[in-house]
Amino acid sequence: MDEQQLVSGCKRAEAWAYKTIYEQYAPVMLSICMRYVGDRETARDLMHDGFIRVFTKVAQYRGAGSFEGWMKRIFVTTALEYLRTKEANKLTVPLEEYEQVTEDVSPDVIQRLTADELMNCIAMLPKGYRTVFNLFAIEGYSHKEIAELLDIQESTSKTQFFRARNHLQKIITQLFIPDDAGRK
């Protein structure tokens, strides 16, 4: 069954189309939610909220671009709205909590990482870093778009991404490079 038939079925509110879309896209959408919240139960709740939004807004999908891409934007927005509502989860990390990373991670180490190991390292980032890193490096948003989505300055997005990248480098170094390897 092609994407257009599924979308048409959803627009007609046909249960088979809802079920097929859910079964086909749930793993991808759950992983998007997990990248932002890091907690499986919360991610599942967000995934369900995202599918409700997809099914209620499917009439707005005009066929420009892929349906999966359109859905991903809804799930990212759902996760960001959740993060914005949580007072304890600030999307910026104070400067005093930031440590400059001076070590370089060898390209060999990065090449040996599996996708799951890399995603686990990303999940260890503070929420603010993780959010900007996901939006920029994984979802492909520009810093200007991120600033608009998160209601922050564009320079803050760039700084958060720089810090996230360095923090991720530190996490990878600590987890995958033995203490005695190449250290002075």
Side-chain angles (χ1 to χ4, degrees), residues 28-56:
V28 172
M29 301 309 153
L30 179 61
S31 70
I32 288 171
C33 296
M34 279 292 296
R35 281 199 308 260
Y36 287 94
V37 296
D39 167 45
R40 190 170 266 322
E41 288 307 310
T42 304
R44 284 184 187 174
D45 290 344
L46 291 174
M47 180 188 68
H48 293 294
D49 292 348
F51 274 111
I52 289 169
R53 286 182 178 187
V54 165
F55 297 144
T56 58

PDB file of all heavy atoms in Angstrom, residues 28-56:
ATOM      1  N   VAL A  28       9.683   4.708  14.555  1.00  0.00           N
ATOM      2  CA  VAL A  28      10.431   5.917  14.195  1.00  0.00           C
ATOM      3  C   VAL A  28      10.001   7.095  15.066  1.00  0.00           C
ATOM      4  O   VAL A  28      10.836   7.847  15.583  1.00  0.00           O
ATOM      5  CB  VAL A  28      10.220   6.262  12.700  1.00  0.00           C
ATOM      6  CG1 VAL A  28      10.826   7.611  12.344  1.00  0.00           C
ATOM      7  CG2 VAL A  28      10.792   5.167  11.823  1.00  0.00           C
ATOM      8  N   MET A  29       8.703   7.240  15.266  1.00  0.00           N
ATOM      9  CA  MET A  29       8.197   8.372  16.044  1.00  0.00           C
ATOM     10  C   MET A  29       8.532   8.232  17.528  1.00  0.00           C
ATOM     11  O   MET A  29       8.823   9.222  18.198  1.00  0.00           O
ATOM     12  CB  MET A  29       6.693   8.548  15.837  1.00  0.00           C
ATOM     13  CG  MET A  29       6.302   8.788  14.381  1.00  0.00           C
ATOM     14  SD  MET A  29       7.245  10.120  13.593  1.00  0.00           S
ATOM     15  CE  MET A  29       7.182   9.620  11.884  1.00  0.00           C
ATOM     16  N   LEU A  30       8.551   6.989  18.025  1.00  0.00           N
ATOM     17  CA  LEU A  30       8.966   6.768  19.411  1.00  0.00           C
ATOM     18  C   LEU A  30      10.425   7.157  19.598  1.00  0.00           C
ATOM     19  O   LEU A  30      10.781   7.791  20.595  1.00  0.00           O
ATOM     20  CB  LEU A  30       8.748   5.307  19.819  1.00  0.00           C
ATOM     21  CG  LEU A  30       9.161   4.956  21.251  1.00  0.00           C
ATOM     22  CD1 LEU A  30       8.363   5.770  22.271  1.00  0.00           C
ATOM     23  CD2 LEU A  30       8.990   3.460  21.503  1.00  0.00           C
ATOM     24  N   SER A  31      11.268   6.825  18.631  1.00  0.00           N
ATOM     25  CA  SER A  31      12.683   7.189  18.756  1.00  0.00           C
ATOM     26  C   SER A  31      12.869   8.709  18.723  1.00  0.00           C
ATOM     27  O   SER A  31      13.738   9.239  19.424  1.00  0.00           O
ATOM     28  CB  SER A  31      13.530   6.505  17.682  1.00  0.00           C
ATOM     29  OG  SER A  31      13.276   7.039  16.409  1.00  0.00           O
ATOM     30  N   ILE A  32      12.058   9.415  17.955  1.00  0.00           N
ATOM     31  CA  ILE A  32      12.120  10.876  17.955  1.00  0.00           C
ATOM     32  C   ILE A  32      11.768  11.394  19.347  1.00  0.00           C
ATOM     33  O   ILE A  32      12.484  12.231  19.905  1.00  0.00           O
ATOM     34  CB  ILE A  32      11.175  11.479  16.898  1.00  0.00           C
ATOM     35  CG1 ILE A  32      11.733  11.231  15.489  1.00  0.00           C
ATOM     36  CG2 ILE A  32      10.965  12.977  17.134  1.00  0.00           C
ATOM     37  CD1 ILE A  32      10.783  11.598  14.373  1.00  0.00           C
ATOM     38  N   CYS A  33      10.695  10.899  19.913  1.00  0.00           N
ATOM     39  CA  CYS A  33      10.276  11.342  21.252  1.00  0.00           C
ATOM     40  C   CYS A  33      11.338  11.002  22.292  1.00  0.00           C
ATOM     41  O   CYS A  33      11.630  11.819  23.177  1.00  0.00           O
ATOM     42  CB  CYS A  33       8.937  10.716  21.628  1.00  0.00           C
ATOM     43  SG  CYS A  33       7.574  11.251  20.563  1.00  0.00           S
ATOM     44  N   MET A  34      11.942   9.824  22.189  1.00  0.00           N
ATOM     45  CA  MET A  34      12.990   9.411  23.129  1.00  0.00           C
ATOM     46  C   MET A  34      14.198  10.339  23.054  1.00  0.00           C
ATOM     47  O   MET A  34      14.818  10.631  24.075  1.00  0.00           O
ATOM     48  CB  MET A  34      13.451   7.976  22.831  1.00  0.00           C
ATOM     49  CG  MET A  34      12.569   6.895  23.383  1.00  0.00           C
ATOM     50  SD  MET A  34      12.603   6.815  25.177  1.00  0.00           S
ATOM     51  CE  MET A  34      14.312   6.359  25.467  1.00  0.00           C
ATOM     52  N   ARG A  35      14.527  10.804  21.863  1.00  0.00           N
ATOM     53  CA  ARG A  35      15.679  11.706  21.725  1.00  0.00           C
ATOM     54  C   ARG A  35      15.479  12.992  22.509  1.00  0.00           C
ATOM     55  O   ARG A  35      16.433  13.598  22.962  1.00  0.00           O
ATOM     56  CB  ARG A  35      15.917  12.035  20.255  1.00  0.00           C
ATOM     57  CG  ARG A  35      16.618  10.946  19.505  1.00  0.00           C
ATOM     58  CD  ARG A  35      17.250  11.438  18.228  1.00  0.00           C
ATOM     59  NE  ARG A  35      16.368  12.163  17.348  1.00  0.00           N
ATOM     60  CZ  ARG A  35      15.782  11.655  16.269  1.00  0.00           C
ATOM     61  NH1 ARG A  35      15.969  10.406  15.956  1.00  0.00           N
ATOM     62  NH2 ARG A  35      15.016  12.394  15.512  1.00  0.00           N
ATOM     63  N   TYR A  36      14.245  13.418  22.660  1.00  0.00           N
ATOM     64  CA  TYR A  36      13.986  14.686  23.334  1.00  0.00           C
ATOM     65  C   TYR A  36      13.754  14.538  24.824  1.00  0.00           C
ATOM     66  O   TYR A  36      14.161  15.400  25.590  1.00  0.00           O
ATOM     67  CB  TYR A  36      12.802  15.413  22.676  1.00  0.00           C
ATOM     68  CG  TYR A  36      13.197  15.970  21.343  1.00  0.00           C
ATOM     69  CD1 TYR A  36      12.980  15.254  20.183  1.00  0.00           C
ATOM     70  CD2 TYR A  36      13.844  17.194  21.242  1.00  0.00           C
ATOM     71  CE1 TYR A  36      13.376  15.738  18.954  1.00  0.00           C
ATOM     72  CE2 TYR A  36      14.251  17.688  20.014  1.00  0.00           C
ATOM     73  CZ  TYR A  36      14.019  16.954  18.874  1.00  0.00           C
ATOM     74  OH  TYR A  36      14.434  17.430  17.663  1.00  0.00           O
ATOM     75  N   VAL A  37      13.103  13.466  25.262  1.00  0.00           N
ATOM     76  CA  VAL A  37      12.775  13.359  26.687  1.00  0.00           C
ATOM     77  C   VAL A  37      13.613  12.328  27.425  1.00  0.00           C
ATOM     78  O   VAL A  37      13.760  12.425  28.636  1.00  0.00           O
ATOM     79  CB  VAL A  37      11.273  13.089  26.929  1.00  0.00           C
ATOM     80  CG1 VAL A  37      10.444  14.255  26.448  1.00  0.00           C
ATOM     81  CG2 VAL A  37      10.819  11.797  26.307  1.00  0.00           C
ATOM     82  N   GLY A  38      14.149  11.341  26.747  1.00  0.00           N
ATOM     83  CA  GLY A  38      15.032  10.381  27.376  1.00  0.00           C
ATOM     84  C   GLY A  38      14.365   9.378  28.308  1.00  0.00           C
ATOM     85  O   GLY A  38      15.021   8.504  28.842  1.00  0.00           O
ATOM     86  N   ASP A  39      13.091   9.472  28.518  1.00  0.00           N
ATOM     87  CA  ASP A  39      12.352   8.574  29.402  1.00  0.00           C
ATOM     88  C   ASP A  39      11.333   7.817  28.562  1.00  0.00           C
ATOM     89  O   ASP A  39      10.491   8.433  27.910  1.00  0.00           O
ATOM     90  CB  ASP A  39      11.671   9.402  30.506  1.00  0.00           C
ATOM     91  CG  ASP A  39      10.633   8.628  31.281  1.00  0.00           C
ATOM     92  OD1 ASP A  39      10.909   7.478  31.665  1.00  0.00           O
ATOM     93  OD2 ASP A  39       9.544   9.186  31.510  1.00  0.00           O
ATOM     94  N   ARG A  40      11.402   6.493  28.576  1.00  0.00           N
ATOM     95  CA  ARG A  40      10.579   5.678  27.693  1.00  0.00           C
ATOM     96  C   ARG A  40       9.077   5.875  27.919  1.00  0.00           C
ATOM     97  O   ARG A  40       8.317   5.980  26.968  1.00  0.00           O
ATOM     98  CB  ARG A  40      10.937   4.201  27.836  1.00  0.00           C
ATOM     99  CG  ARG A  40      10.258   3.360  26.752  1.00  0.00           C
ATOM    100  CD  ARG A  40      10.732   1.957  26.668  1.00  0.00           C
ATOM    101  NE  ARG A  40      11.760   1.521  25.784  1.00  0.00           N
ATOM    102  CZ  ARG A  40      12.008   1.895  24.547  1.00  0.00           C
ATOM    103  NH1 ARG A  40      11.343   2.852  24.009  1.00  0.00           N
ATOM    104  NH2 ARG A  40      12.952   1.356  23.824  1.00  0.00           N
ATOM    105  N   GLU A  41       8.631   5.935  29.154  1.00  0.00           N
ATOM    106  CA  GLU A  41       7.198   6.103  29.426  1.00  0.00           C
ATOM    107  C   GLU A  41       6.691   7.461  28.939  1.00  0.00           C
ATOM    108  O   GLU A  41       5.639   7.552  28.316  1.00  0.00           O
ATOM    109  CB  GLU A  41       6.898   5.910  30.914  1.00  0.00           C
ATOM    110  CG  GLU A  41       7.002   4.459  31.361  1.00  0.00           C
ATOM    111  CD  GLU A  41       6.167   3.502  30.533  1.00  0.00           C
ATOM    112  OE1 GLU A  41       4.964   3.765  30.315  1.00  0.00           O
ATOM    113  OE2 GLU A  41       6.722   2.461  30.093  1.00  0.00           O
ATOM    114  N   THR A  42       7.451   8.508  29.225  1.00  0.00           N
ATOM    115  CA  THR A  42       7.068   9.841  28.750  1.00  0.00           C
ATOM    116  C   THR A  42       7.091   9.878  27.230  1.00  0.00           C
ATOM    117  O   THR A  42       6.199  10.446  26.600  1.00  0.00           O
ATOM    118  CB  THR A  42       8.003  10.918  29.337  1.00  0.00           C
ATOM    119  OG1 THR A  42       7.981  10.822  30.762  1.00  0.00           O
ATOM    120  CG2 THR A  42       7.597  12.304  28.897  1.00  0.00           C
ATOM    121  N   ALA A  43       8.113   9.243  26.636  1.00  0.00           N
ATOM    122  CA  ALA A  43       8.210   9.204  25.175  1.00  0.00           C
ATOM    123  C   ALA A  43       7.006   8.490  24.566  1.00  0.00           C
ATOM    124  O   ALA A  43       6.470   8.929  23.547  1.00  0.00           O
ATOM    125  CB  ALA A  43       9.510   8.526  24.750  1.00  0.00           C
ATOM    126  N   ARG A  44       6.553   7.406  25.202  1.00  0.00           N
ATOM    127  CA  ARG A  44       5.371   6.698  24.692  1.00  0.00           C
ATOM    128  C   ARG A  44       4.130   7.576  24.774  1.00  0.00           C
ATOM    129  O   ARG A  44       3.309   7.591  23.855  1.00  0.00           O
ATOM    130  CB  ARG A  44       5.145   5.405  25.465  1.00  0.00           C
ATOM    131  CG  ARG A  44       6.100   4.322  25.068  1.00  0.00           C
ATOM    132  CD  ARG A  44       5.805   3.031  25.770  1.00  0.00           C
ATOM    133  NE  ARG A  44       6.877   2.094  25.442  1.00  0.00           N
ATOM    134  CZ  ARG A  44       7.008   0.914  25.970  1.00  0.00           C
ATOM    135  NH1 ARG A  44       6.134   0.485  26.847  1.00  0.00           N
ATOM    136  NH2 ARG A  44       8.003   0.140  25.623  1.00  0.00           N
ATOM    137  N   ASP A  45       3.989   8.297  25.886  1.00  0.00           N
ATOM    138  CA  ASP A  45       2.857   9.223  26.012  1.00  0.00           C
ATOM    139  C   ASP A  45       2.899  10.279  24.913  1.00  0.00           C
ATOM    140  O   ASP A  45       1.873  10.588  24.292  1.00  0.00           O
ATOM    141  CB  ASP A  45       2.854   9.909  27.384  1.00  0.00           C
ATOM    142  CG  ASP A  45       2.501   8.959  28.516  1.00  0.00           C
ATOM    143  OD1 ASP A  45       1.968   7.864  28.245  1.00  0.00           O
ATOM    144  OD2 ASP A  45       2.768   9.330  29.682  1.00  0.00           O
ATOM    145  N   LEU A  46       4.090  10.818  24.667  1.00  0.00           N
ATOM    146  CA  LEU A  46       4.236  11.835  23.620  1.00  0.00           C
ATOM    147  C   LEU A  46       3.962  11.247  22.240  1.00  0.00           C
ATOM    148  O   LEU A  46       3.370  11.906  21.381  1.00  0.00           O
ATOM    149  CB  LEU A  46       5.630  12.458  23.667  1.00  0.00           C
ATOM    150  CG  LEU A  46       5.923  13.336  24.871  1.00  0.00           C
ATOM    151  CD1 LEU A  46       7.385  13.763  24.871  1.00  0.00           C
ATOM    152  CD2 LEU A  46       5.014  14.552  24.892  1.00  0.00           C
ATOM    153  N   MET A  47       4.387  10.005  22.048  1.00  0.00           N
ATOM    154  CA  MET A  47       4.137   9.357  20.765  1.00  0.00           C
ATOM    155  C   MET A  47       2.630   9.232  20.535  1.00  0.00           C
ATOM    156  O   MET A  47       2.137   9.542  19.446  1.00  0.00           O
ATOM    157  CB  MET A  47       4.788   7.978  20.713  1.00  0.00           C
ATOM    158  CG  MET A  47       4.559   7.257  19.385  1.00  0.00           C
ATOM    159  SD  MET A  47       5.114   5.555  19.355  1.00  0.00           S
ATOM    160  CE  MET A  47       3.959   4.772  20.477  1.00  0.00           C
ATOM    161  N   HIS A  48       1.910   8.817  21.546  1.00  0.00           N
ATOM    162  CA  HIS A  48       0.455   8.691  21.402  1.00  0.00           C
ATOM    163  C   HIS A  48      -0.185  10.059  21.152  1.00  0.00           C
ATOM    164  O   HIS A  48      -1.063  10.188  20.290  1.00  0.00           O
ATOM    165  CB  HIS A  48      -0.160   8.008  22.621  1.00  0.00           C
ATOM    166  CG  HIS A  48       0.244   6.572  22.749  1.00  0.00           C
ATOM    167  ND1 HIS A  48      -0.127   5.614  21.848  1.00  0.00           N
ATOM    168  CD2 HIS A  48       1.010   5.932  23.669  1.00  0.00           C
ATOM    169  CE1 HIS A  48       0.391   4.444  22.188  1.00  0.00           C
ATOM    170  NE2 HIS A  48       1.088   4.617  23.292  1.00  0.00           N
ATOM    171  N   ASP A  49       0.277  11.079  21.885  1.00  0.00           N
ATOM    172  CA  ASP A  49      -0.225  12.438  21.653  1.00  0.00           C
ATOM    173  C   ASP A  49       0.063  12.881  20.224  1.00  0.00           C
ATOM    174  O   ASP A  49      -0.778  13.507  19.564  1.00  0.00           O
ATOM    175  CB  ASP A  49       0.410  13.433  22.627  1.00  0.00           C
ATOM    176  CG  ASP A  49      -0.032  13.227  24.064  1.00  0.00           C
ATOM    177  OD1 ASP A  49      -1.000  12.470  24.305  1.00  0.00           O
ATOM    178  OD2 ASP A  49       0.609  13.828  24.956  1.00  0.00           O
ATOM    179  N   GLY A  50       1.261  12.550  19.745  1.00  0.00           N
ATOM    180  CA  GLY A  50       1.638  12.909  18.383  1.00  0.00           C
ATOM    181  C   GLY A  50       0.747  12.250  17.342  1.00  0.00           C
ATOM    182  O   GLY A  50       0.330  12.891  16.375  1.00  0.00           O
ATOM    183  N   PHE A  51       0.442  10.970  17.539  1.00  0.00           N
ATOM    184  CA  PHE A  51      -0.439  10.298  16.582  1.00  0.00           C
ATOM    185  C   PHE A  51      -1.848  10.885  16.611  1.00  0.00           C
ATOM    186  O   PHE A  51      -2.483  11.012  15.562  1.00  0.00           O
ATOM    187  CB  PHE A  51      -0.476   8.779  16.810  1.00  0.00           C
ATOM    188  CG  PHE A  51       0.642   8.061  16.108  1.00  0.00           C
ATOM    189  CD1 PHE A  51       1.671   7.479  16.830  1.00  0.00           C
ATOM    190  CD2 PHE A  51       0.672   7.975  14.727  1.00  0.00           C
ATOM    191  CE1 PHE A  51       2.710   6.826  16.186  1.00  0.00           C
ATOM    192  CE2 PHE A  51       1.697   7.328  14.067  1.00  0.00           C
ATOM    193  CZ  PHE A  51       2.733   6.751  14.804  1.00  0.00           C
ATOM    194  N   ILE A  52      -2.318  11.247  17.782  1.00  0.00           N
ATOM    195  CA  ILE A  52      -3.634  11.901  17.849  1.00  0.00           C
ATOM    196  C   ILE A  52      -3.611  13.182  17.032  1.00  0.00           C
ATOM    197  O   ILE A  52      -4.537  13.467  16.266  1.00  0.00           O
ATOM    198  CB  ILE A  52      -4.038  12.160  19.321  1.00  0.00           C
ATOM    199  CG1 ILE A  52      -4.365  10.834  20.002  1.00  0.00           C
ATOM    200  CG2 ILE A  52      -5.226  13.122  19.394  1.00  0.00           C
ATOM    201  CD1 ILE A  52      -4.511  10.917  21.507  1.00  0.00           C
ATOM    202  N   ARG A  53      -2.526  13.958  17.171  1.00  0.00           N
ATOM    203  CA  ARG A  53      -2.401  15.195  16.382  1.00  0.00           C
ATOM    204  C   ARG A  53      -2.343  14.903  14.888  1.00  0.00           C
ATOM    205  O   ARG A  53      -2.955  15.609  14.084  1.00  0.00           O
ATOM    206  CB  ARG A  53      -1.160  15.976  16.794  1.00  0.00           C
ATOM    207  CG  ARG A  53      -1.295  16.654  18.108  1.00  0.00           C
ATOM    208  CD  ARG A  53      -0.057  17.449  18.413  1.00  0.00           C
ATOM    209  NE  ARG A  53      -0.218  18.151  19.669  1.00  0.00           N
ATOM    210  CZ  ARG A  53       0.644  19.026  20.126  1.00  0.00           C
ATOM    211  NH1 ARG A  53       1.728  19.318  19.441  1.00  0.00           N
ATOM    212  NH2 ARG A  53       0.429  19.619  21.273  1.00  0.00           N
ATOM    213  N   VAL A  54      -1.577  13.885  14.522  1.00  0.00           N
ATOM    214  CA  VAL A  54      -1.472  13.519  13.106  1.00  0.00           C
ATOM    215  C   VAL A  54      -2.848  13.184  12.551  1.00  0.00           C
ATOM    216  O   VAL A  54      -3.255  13.682  11.499  1.00  0.00           O
ATOM    217  CB  VAL A  54      -0.495  12.326  12.910  1.00  0.00           C
ATOM    218  CG1 VAL A  54      -0.659  11.701  11.521  1.00  0.00           C
ATOM    219  CG2 VAL A  54       0.943  12.772  13.124  1.00  0.00           C
ATOM    220  N   PHE A  55      -3.592  12.354  13.270  1.00  0.00           N
ATOM    221  CA  PHE A  55      -4.890  11.913  12.764  1.00  0.00           C
ATOM    222  C   PHE A  55      -5.925  13.032  12.760  1.00  0.00           C
ATOM    223  O   PHE A  55      -6.801  13.051  11.900  1.00  0.00           O
ATOM    224  CB  PHE A  55      -5.388  10.698  13.558  1.00  0.00           C
ATOM    225  CG  PHE A  55      -4.493   9.489  13.414  1.00  0.00           C
ATOM    226  CD1 PHE A  55      -4.287   8.633  14.484  1.00  0.00           C
ATOM    227  CD2 PHE A  55      -3.848   9.201  12.217  1.00  0.00           C
ATOM    228  CE1 PHE A  55      -3.466   7.518  14.361  1.00  0.00           C
ATOM    229  CE2 PHE A  55      -3.023   8.096  12.080  1.00  0.00           C
ATOM    230  CZ  PHE A  55      -2.830   7.253  13.153  1.00  0.00           C
ATOM    231  N   THR A  56      -5.824  13.968  13.691  1.00  0.00           N
ATOM    232  CA  THR A  56      -6.787  15.075  13.690  1.00  0.00           C
ATOM    233  C   THR A  56      -6.408  16.173  12.705  1.00  0.00           C
ATOM    234  O   THR A  56      -7.268  16.945  12.292  1.00  0.00           O
ATOM    235  CB  THR A  56      -6.955  15.684  15.107  1.00  0.00           C
ATOM    236  OG1 THR A  56      -5.693  16.137  15.579  1.00  0.00           O
ATOM    237  CG2 THR A  56      -7.564  14.685  16.068  1.00  0.00           C
TER     238      THR A  56
END
